[in-house]
Amino acid sequence: MKKIALMGHIVAGFPSFEASLKAALGIAQGGAEYLEVQFPFSDPNADGIAIANACEVALQSGFNTDLGFEFITQLQQKLQQNQLQTKLLIMTYGNILFCYGIQKFLQKAKERGVYGLIVPDLSLDNDEKLFKKAKKLGLENIALIAPLTKPKRMERLSCISGAFIYVVARNGITGDTTQIDESLMRYIELVKKHCKKPIALGFGIQNKEQINALRGVVQIAIVGSAFVRFIDKVCKEEGEISEKLCAFTKGLLGD
């Protein structure tokens, strides 16, 4: 079976600080090579209902950026204790960085061993020097390509992006299922013609069958809303959160 890496996703602080910490550890134990740790924002314009609701719950519980970095610190400690190499990326929106101070935010991320950032609304031409500043600190700031992105812009995004490029599988918001069909494959081939970086495909990837269909096509499959919905479900049940997230992650990878 051809190799594909998995990027999981959690909203830090959802449904609570401790529960999200346990969920994150479980995803790493299940074999995710990357984990998006979303710092919740009040108006997450690229996110569907599941993630938007999770952000709202976390914010109502008092979650803030300093707690986000404390979350990263504690998660890194747990990963080290369990000898796990999962790379952590902070996913959030530009307003969080503006309010905190971009340089301060990046410096704290670097100090806490963060691998990279995904900030969807700070685009190539209006990034407030985020790409340049992140690169200087050795942080992988990941650019996004969408279905309507023109080939010349794809080339520019590929050049400026960090270690890989985030390819949005379809227009719209996260959460709805994406069909792995001929039109998606043609779109991925177009991206490959204009981008030299590895591809991480996200938006609507939710199950093992989709991931298997992407093996040998892209290097990384990103699963977001499916993780958030599963975390919401298991946190309402009895049982060990980490173990359940570990099993769910292994199931996505076919293990």
Side-chain angles (χ1 to χ4, degrees):
M1 190 178 286
K2 292 179 180 176
K3 188 180 186 305
I4 191 168
L6 175 67
M7 184 186 296
H9 186 109
I10 60 114
V11 174
F14 173 79
S16 68
F17 188 98
E18 283 301 321
S20 57
L21 202 55
K22 290 176 182 177
L25 178 61
I27 294 169
Q29 290 171 323
E33 291 186 32
Y34 303 89
L35 179 64
E36 275 186 293
V37 177
Q38 182 162 353
F39 282 19
F41 179 53
S42 57
D43 299 285
N45 53 20
D47 295 314
I49 293 171
I51 293 178
N53 287 345
C55 286
E56 185 64 24
V57 169
L59 290 170
Q60 285 182 353
S61 298
F63 201 89
N64 58 35
T65 305
D66 282 328
L67 274 175
F69 285 117
E70 177 58 26
F71 181 91
I72 294 286
T73 299
Q74 291 192 30
L75 178 54
Q76 292 284 34
Q77 290 170 352
K78 288 184 178 293
L79 293 177
Q80 289 171 14
Q81 288 164 5
N82 288 273
Q83 298 181 312
L84 296 165
Q85 304 296 319
T86 304
K87 296 179 177 71
L88 303 184
L89 294 97
I90 296 174
M91 182 269 160
T92 194
Y93 290 87
N95 195 55
I96 298 288
L97 275 73
F98 291 145
C99 291
Y100 202 76
I102 291 177
Q103 190 63 41
K104 181 183 174 186
F105 190 100
L106 294 176
Q107 193 65 48
K108 282 209 172 186
K110 181 64 178 177
E111 288 167 0
R112 282 152 182 77
V114 169
Y115 175 75
L117 296 96
I118 299 171
V119 189
D121 57 345
L122 286 186
S123 64
L124 179 64
D125 302 309
N126 301 285
D127 75 325
E128 301 297 321
K129 298 182 179 178
L130 177 61
F131 282 98
K132 184 177 179 180
K133 289 178 177 180
K135 186 175 182 179
K136 192 172 181 181
L137 283 170
L139 290 164
E140 307 290 347
N141 191 44
I142 306 302
L144 282 77
I145 286 176
L148 297 179
T149 303
K150 302 293 184 186
K152 283 194 177 297
R153 187 170 178 82
M154 288 182 186
E155 291 171 4
R156 291 179 63 206
L157 288 166
S158 177
C159 286
I160 200 169
S161 187
F164 56 86
I165 193 102
Y166 189 135
V167 175
V168 178
R170 54 172 171 73
N171 291 318
I173 55 175
T174 61
D176 296 330
T177 302
T178 291
Q179 299 301 318
I180 311 298
D181 54 18
E182 286 186 20
S183 64
L184 177 59
M185 293 301 181
R186 286 195 299 270
Y187 164 44
I188 292 170
E189 285 305 311
L190 178 65
V191 173
K192 286 180 177 180
K193 283 182 182 178
H194 298 280
C195 295
K196 303 306 177 189
K197 300 272 172 74
I199 290 173
L201 187 78
F203 273 52
I205 309 302
Q206 303 188 25
N207 56 54
K208 178 180 70 175
E209 290 72 27
Q210 290 171 304
I211 292 172
N212 282 340
L214 292 169
R215 290 179 183 274
V217 180
V218 300
Q219 288 82 2
I220 305 167
I222 303 170
V223 177
S225 295
F227 270 116
V228 175
R229 286 193 294 265
F230 189 74
I231 290 166
D232 187 32
K233 175 177 174 288
V234 300
C235 287
K236 293 173 181 174
E237 303 169 347
E238 291 185 4
E240 175 53 50
I241 296 169
S242 294
E243 289 179 4
K244 291 183 178 182
L245 264 298
C246 177
F248 182 73
T249 306
K250 286 183 175 180
L252 289 171
L253 288 167
D255 296 337

